[in-house]
Amino acid sequence: MKLQILSWLTGLSGFGLLVAGVEQMHRPSAMIIAGLGLLAWAWLADRAGAIQQFRKRG
């Protein structure tokens, strides 16, 4: 469980640092990268939820 929490925190901090680094160069690009990253994360979370429901039924 600790490894899972550490993985989440590492991922969030990496995402934040990526957006902050891009923001230092060009603010609108940072917003685009943040939006794309959040869309990708939502897609992965939705896919993982669908797989769990499929396994639960089958």
Side-chain angles (χ1 to χ4, degrees):
M1 188 67 168
K2 287 182 182 180
L3 186 59
Q4 188 176 13
I5 293 170
L6 185 61
S7 173
W8 272 87
L9 290 175
T10 304
L12 285 173
S13 65
F15 180 70
L17 288 171
L18 172 69
V19 172
V22 173
E23 183 187 17
Q24 289 181 0
M25 292 184 283
H26 195 245
R27 180 168 280 182
S29 296
M31 298 301 156
I32 291 170
I33 295 225
L36 289 175
L38 291 173
L39 279 173
W41 181 257
W43 180 76
L44 285 173
D46 182 53
R47 190 170 176 205
I51 289 172
Q52 284 183 349
Q53 281 188 343
F54 178 75
R55 288 184 181 170
K56 193 176 184 181
R57 277 191 226 160

